[in-house]
Amino acid sequence: MAVERERSSGKRRRNPSRLSAWLLLLALTPALADVDEVRRVAAPDWVVPVERGNIDDKLLGQISGGSYYLLSDMQINVQGQRSIYRRIASQAINAAGVDALATIEIDFDPAWQTLDINSIDLIRDGRTLPKLATATLRILQRETALDRRIYDGSKSVTIFLEDVRVGDIVDYAFTVHGRNPVFDGRDFGAIGLQFSVPVARIHARLLTPGKRDIRVTPRNSNIEARVRDEGGMRAYEWDQRNVAPLLSDADAPSWFDPYPVVQWSEFADWPAVAAWALPLYALPKTLSPELAAEVARIAKAEPSPEGRLLAALRFVQGEIRYLGMEIGPGSHAPNPPDQVLARRFGDCKDKTLLTVTLLDHLGIEAHPALVNTNKRRALEQRMPHPGQFDHVLVQAKLGGRTFWLDPTRATQNADLAHLVQADFDLALIVDGSSKGLVSMSEDRQPAPVRLVKATFDARGGLDKPVPFTVTTTLEGERAEAMRNTLATTSFEELQKSYLNFYAGYYNGLNIAKPMEVKDDERNNRIVTVEHYQIPEFSSWSEESRQHTADIPTPDLDEKLRGPKSTVRTAPLGIARNSDLTLVTEALLPETWTIKPDRVKVEDPAFSFERAISPRGNRLVITDRFTSLVDEVAAADTARYAGRLAEARDQVNYYLYWGQPTEAETRSGLDRVNWLLLMIGAMSLGFWIWLALKCNRHDPPAQPGTTNGLPRGLGGWLVLPGLGLIATPFFAVFTLVSNLEAWTADTWANLTTFGNEAYHALWAPALVFELSMQLGVLVFGIFVLILFFRRRSSLPRIFIAFQIAVQLQLLIDTALVNAIPQVAAEPGEGAQAFGSLLGTVIWIAYFLKSSRVANTFVVRREKSTASVPRVPAEAFSL
């Protein structure tokens, strides 16, 4: 179910038709706007002219887009209205570069900025061709943030150049004047010192008034600035030649930014930023009648503080649609709550202030919290200023607990115990006592539950169409994401996407009946049940002469997929709070001999565990994957990928079985292994013959007086007697338990070269086990008879039998453990040692015990005296 699995609950789907119409309207209306909004004038006097760099042949192969940047020059004067001078020079290396350089785009915000085009030159064969006067300018109001429902009034000047050729250099400069009044005249910003493409020269210059406290520091760079005073201004300058590109790995975390920049800020610290924002989020002194009525309605309907908090949040989430009019100061300043309620729309700032206002009048402490959804924890390494934040939400306190509420989410109908809270690592609380950034994860929520149960009902036959049912239980954030998907996607489209997801594993998969959805909003839980049919569950191989049924793990595969590259310079970003339990159940037509197993793979970044549990004709495989972190250090990526590969090797399961003939299918003779049956019959005959031979052994009783010494089947003799009684039963149990291993199918699977389970030692191991167990059965009965008849031959034959059993166990264990496919049983070594120790003790007892000597004294009956006896020396130890 890839749609649900990859979508974040924080994202909202747009209405494509409505958004397209809006984009078309905005694009066409100002397409030929008054070009007088843009002036064509020379660069300001304070700008220092610099020369372009030259192409470095060593870096030419690293260009992108067909052009080579010869100069990137940015000079900023923060005095007065604030001016940003930008000059870019690029040379077209091929046709793609011509296409890129022939069109120039410059963005600005007419609400508080003016734009001057300072120069446009085309340099060909060393000659400079001025293009500023003749270039065609168009001003487009493109609104690039409309996909996020934000209208900011920004415009883009598009400049079309004619007659641009391969080898030409396009060199243009422009200056943007203005300062957003929302920042109260205070300045901040950053200039890049390296990019993802090679640049022949990077020049940066910052002019600050000497009397203003503006801190300037580099980040990710040790390049020293040249600092000097220029008529009451302090000038910082950075100049680099032939700067190689810096390429960051695409799958790095969003907060990882390796690019070197120089940054500056007039805000001393984070509390200063909070103090700046405090008046913007001041609560209104009076409420409009409509807003006051809403407060009264919630207070009357919800007597408890918990109910009021949830009611206020749901009202703003459900009744105030998301739309941002962020023109000029509106980029950072919210609109009054009365206005937001009246027009029933607003952005994150508007919805947050409205929520805080409602909660305040309902007696609940709440404050705005500034966050960055991408930089997250990296805010700690950034200079404090308002531009570091891209989102605002609500911090509420209730009953000694802190809640992080996001009014821009889809309506959350869960109770407070199951409410999904926002978590962007760090937040700046806008109140009068803010001490700096605070953690949003102190009371971290449990990972959102995702439980998938996949059932294959093959009771009708593994070679028949198999019903396939997938039951998915989602809780927490995953339930909210699924709920949003259901609200914005047609049921048919969703059903089709899920079908396609599983169809990649089963050819011809089809829907048996429509998907079922059960939504428990209060407990924030959604259960979906998908019904499919697999036409061909198994496949036949002529080469191996066997059927194979594959039991894959589609939902788990995406978790165990390794990184694209393990050679990295950036950390690897991985799924946050990812916890999946996958229960795969196969209902089989008959009971299979399947060995239980448990596998665990642990890594600092994740934990994986698999348990295989055969239960009669049910095979249950339980997989659990838990993500423990949200990033892996670059140096640890190879280790992480290796552990993922180790876990991947454990998943997927295969059932194998042979192809019976029609006659064998009717009679069941396919399970008779005639070869082993004959070997078993021969072995049984041999052991009976050997027992009869041993029965002729009739040594005299051990010499010595018996007066006053113990005799009879008592004392310690009871224990070996019980063991002898149990021996035949144990042998029968072992033979019956191993019948499946001696069937024709299993024998062929294990002893046929080319099969996956084949090993050269399987044949001798199976034959040896069968023969020895028959020997234990025959001699177990034989020794037991000698024991109760108190035959004089018992001690020697008992000792020989014990030694033979130990040798059999030793050889059998050595054979089986030499086969790689067989895993050693837990405690196997300890059991073998205990058995050997017991044998040694009982041998010593039978050699030294007076009770043994006085009890086993009965000779063979006289009627058998004429039968030649086996000499006692043959049994001497």
Side-chain angles (χ1 to χ4, degrees), residues 135-417:
T136 301
L137 275 64
R138 291 290 184 267
I139 301 178
L140 304 178
Q141 192 162 340
R142 294 193 173 180
E143 295 298 343
T144 57
L146 273 180
D147 63 328
R148 293 180 285 120
R149 303 188 206 180
I150 296 176
Y151 180 85
D152 59 15
S154 61
K155 293 186 177 182
S156 176
V157 175
T158 302
I159 304 171
F160 301 98
L161 301 180
E162 298 178 355
D163 190 24
V164 180
R165 308 175 188 177
V166 173
D168 287 353
I169 298 173
V170 175
D171 188 333
Y172 66 96
F174 61 91
T175 305
V176 178
H177 306 279
R179 184 192 308 276
N180 193 329
V182 76
F183 300 123
D184 296 333
R186 282 179 281 185
D187 207 273
F188 57 86
I191 301 176
L193 299 178
Q194 190 176 12
F195 308 101
S196 60
V197 293
V199 183
R201 184 177 185 182
I202 296 178
H203 178 262
R205 183 165 172 261
L206 177 65
L207 289 174
T208 66
K211 295 181 179 181
R212 289 168 62 177
D213 185 14
I214 299 178
R215 294 180 300 124
V216 181
T217 61
R219 179 169 54 84
N220 297 331
S221 173
N222 55 7
I223 301 174
E224 295 289 338
R226 178 185 174 188
V227 184
R228 62 179 181 272
D229 291 332
E230 297 181 2
M233 300 287 288
R234 178 165 295 176
Y236 300 84
E237 190 171 13
W238 298 264
D239 200 356
Q240 303 178 87
R241 302 278 183 158
N242 297 321
V243 182
L246 176 60
L247 300 177
S248 180
D249 300 297
D251 47 3
S254 63
W255 54 87
F256 177 76
D257 183 4
Y259 289 94
V261 299
V262 57
Q263 52 187 351
W264 69 92
S265 177
E266 208 165 353
F267 290 85
D269 49 28
W270 294 113
V273 179
W276 159 82
L278 189 60
L280 300 179
Y281 289 91
L283 298 178
K285 296 181 179 179
T286 58
L287 303 183
S288 67
E290 185 180 5
L291 185 54
E294 187 59 36
V295 171
R297 182 192 67 80
I298 295 175
K300 182 179 179 180
E302 300 290 346
S304 69
E306 293 83 359
R308 294 179 177 184
L309 182 145
L310 291 172
L313 176 64
R314 291 167 184 165
F315 173 78
V316 178
Q317 288 176 335
E319 298 296 329
I320 309 299
R321 63 189 176 93
Y322 186 90
L323 176 63
M325 304 293 290
E326 301 186 353
I327 301 175
S331 61
H332 289 76
N335 290 293
D338 293 343
Q339 180 182 348
V340 174
L341 181 61
R343 62 189 187 183
R344 296 281 169 149
F345 71 77
D347 60 12
C348 62
K349 305 182 298 296
D350 302 329
K351 289 166 76 84
T352 288
L353 183 55
L354 175 57
T355 304
V356 171
T357 301
L358 289 171
L359 293 177
D360 179 72
H361 284 79
L362 291 169
I364 300 172
E365 180 184 356
H367 305 282
L370 305 177
V371 299
N372 192 300
T373 57
N374 289 312
K375 296 176 183 176
R376 303 174 70 102
R377 68 191 65 167
L379 281 176
E380 288 183 316
Q381 286 77 47
R382 305 302 176 97
M383 292 195 74
H385 61 72
Q388 300 288 19
F389 303 100
D390 66 355
H391 190 45
V392 60
L393 41 83
V394 177
Q395 183 206 57
K397 294 186 177 182
L398 188 65
R401 291 188 59 192
T402 298
F403 296 90
W404 302 94
L405 313 176
D406 191 342
T408 66
R409 281 180 177 262
T411 306
Q412 297 175 285
N413 290 316
D415 58 26
L416 203 54

Side-chain angles (χ1 to χ4, degrees), residues 64-69 90-105 122 124 142 158-170 172:
S64 177
S67 63
Y68 195 111
Y69 284 86
S90 302
Q91 185 170 6
I93 304 301
N94 52 39
V98 171
D99 290 340
L101 301 186
T103 303
I104 301 170
E105 291 189 359
L122 190 147
R124 178 179 298 156
R142 294 193 173 180
T158 302
I159 304 171
F160 301 98
L161 301 180
E162 298 178 355
D163 190 24
V164 180
R165 308 175 188 177
V166 173
D168 287 353
I169 298 173
V170 175
Y172 66 96

Side-chain angles (χ1 to χ4, degrees), residues 4-15:
E4 172 269 313
R5 286 167 187 138
E6 297 300 329
R7 183 165 296 138
S8 166
S9 62
K11 297 180 181 178
R12 296 175 294 273
R13 286 176 60 92
R14 320 296 181 213
N15 184 323

Side-chain angles (χ1 to χ4, degrees), residues 427-445:
L428 181 65
I429 310 304
V430 180
D431 61 10
S433 59
S434 177
K435 299 295 190 298
L437 299 172
V438 299
S439 172
M440 300 180 67
S441 308
E442 292 178 357
D443 186 16
R444 182 174 293 278
Q445 303 175 83

